[in-house]
Each structure stands twice: as C-alpha cells, then as structure tokens.
Amino acid sequence: MDEHPVDTGAFLNDIEGHLLIAAAHAEGRTAAARFTARLDWLTEGQRAEVEREFEAEYLALTRVSWQRTVQRGRQLRDEYEETYRQLRQRAFAYCLLACALLAATGLVAFALT
C-alpha cells in the first residue's frame, strides 16, 4: 500500500493541464494544416516544415495567452480579497456601533427608571 496520500485536487489539475495541452497541440496542427492547404505550391517537405513552425508558434502564443489569463486571475483574486476584507471590517465596525448604541439606550432607559 502506498504511504503517501493522493491529493485529488492536484491530480485532477494535472490531468486537466495535460488535456488542455493536448487540445492546444491538436488545434495547432489543425490550424497549420488549414494554412498550408492554401499553399499548393509547397513541396511535401516544405509543407511539413511550415506546419511544424506554425504549430510551434501557435503553441507559443497559446502559452502566452494562458500566462496572461493566470496573471489576470491572480490580480482579480487579490482585488476581491481586499474588497472582502474591507467589507468584513466595515460590517464588524457597524456591529460594534449597533452594540454600543443598544448598550447606551439600555443605560439611558435604566437611568430613567
């Protein structure tokens, strides 16, 4: 029996990453084939080379796009966390104020009786 527990979330993230990469490769190959299909003057060797280069460029652009998406996601998470922290602080301050007002009202009512 394996002594190391399996982190299911990380495992699923790895699988998803591999599937995304495989899909990007397939998209790149498909786009390369569509591109070279219009270039009927290329020899088979040239066509294969152009398709390899096109797929490599497609993958590089995809990687940059994914990195930008991750960076923007982190920025948004930081912004939302800060907003949530501020809202929590405000809610706590309002609760304290409400408690203080209730206590003051109780003290006034007690003093009047």
Side-chain angles (χ1 to χ4, degrees):
M1 194 96 199
D2 191 11
E3 296 176 10
H4 303 289
V6 175
D7 183 357
T8 307
F11 179 69
L12 291 176
N13 284 340
D14 285 346
I15 290 174
E16 183 181 20
H18 289 292
L19 291 173
L20 284 171
I21 291 169
H25 277 282
E27 290 168 1
R29 282 190 296 274
T30 301
R34 272 196 320 264
F35 177 73
T36 58
R38 293 179 268 156
L39 306 175
D40 55 354
W41 47 268
L42 290 175
T43 65
E44 285 304 312
Q46 290 171 331
R47 183 178 313 278
E49 179 62 25
V50 169
E51 287 179 0
R52 276 192 299 277
E53 290 295 324
F54 189 102
E55 182 183 353
E57 186 64 26
Y58 183 91
L59 291 174
L61 291 172
T62 300
R63 182 177 297 114
V64 168
S65 175
W66 288 348
Q67 289 170 344
R68 285 184 186 144
T69 301
V70 167
Q71 181 182 13
R72 182 62 181 144
R74 287 181 182 142
Q75 288 173 345
L76 287 173
R77 184 188 62 221
D78 292 345
E79 289 172 16
Y80 285 126
E81 285 176 352
E82 177 62 21
T83 300
Y84 178 70
R85 187 185 63 71
Q86 290 174 356
L87 287 172
R88 229 180 32 224
Q89 287 176 342
R90 253 187 252 151
F92 181 69
Y94 289 142
C95 285
L96 285 178
L97 180 61
C99 289
L101 288 174
L102 284 173
T105 303
L107 287 175
V108 169
F110 181 73
L112 293 177
T113 59

